[in-house]
Amino acid sequence: MSITQLIDEVDRLEPTDRKRLMAHLVLRRLRENEAYRAEITRRIDDKTPGAWVSLEEFEARLKDN
């Protein structure tokens, strides 16, 4: 299957299934990329409120990528 076909298939998924796919891909990236995992862990552990983003901002950032 080509990447174009795969993208077309993803576009046809229900929103719930697309969210499951996104979660799977993020988890896969965390497992495969130590630097990415370390950065995510650092950000999760950051106790500085100024470094936090709202859920709405997070979702907007996801839409931009």
Side-chain angles (χ1 to χ4, degrees), residues 10-26:
V10 170
D11 286 344
R12 285 192 285 275
L13 291 174
E14 294 295 323
T16 302
D17 290 332
R18 278 195 307 271
K19 288 178 185 178
R20 288 180 59 206
L21 178 59
M22 286 183 353
H24 170 76
L25 293 172
V26 168

Side-chain angles (χ1 to χ4, degrees), residues 29-58:
R29 186 174 181 190
L30 286 170
R31 286 187 202 117
E32 294 175 348
N33 187 325
E34 178 62 36
Y36 181 75
R37 183 172 52 242
E39 177 63 13
I40 293 297
T41 300
R42 184 191 68 75
R43 288 178 183 222
I44 288 171
D45 291 342
D46 188 346
K47 304 291 189 232
T48 311
W52 301 347
V53 297
S54 68
L55 181 58
E56 292 79 13
E57 184 178 347
F58 178 73

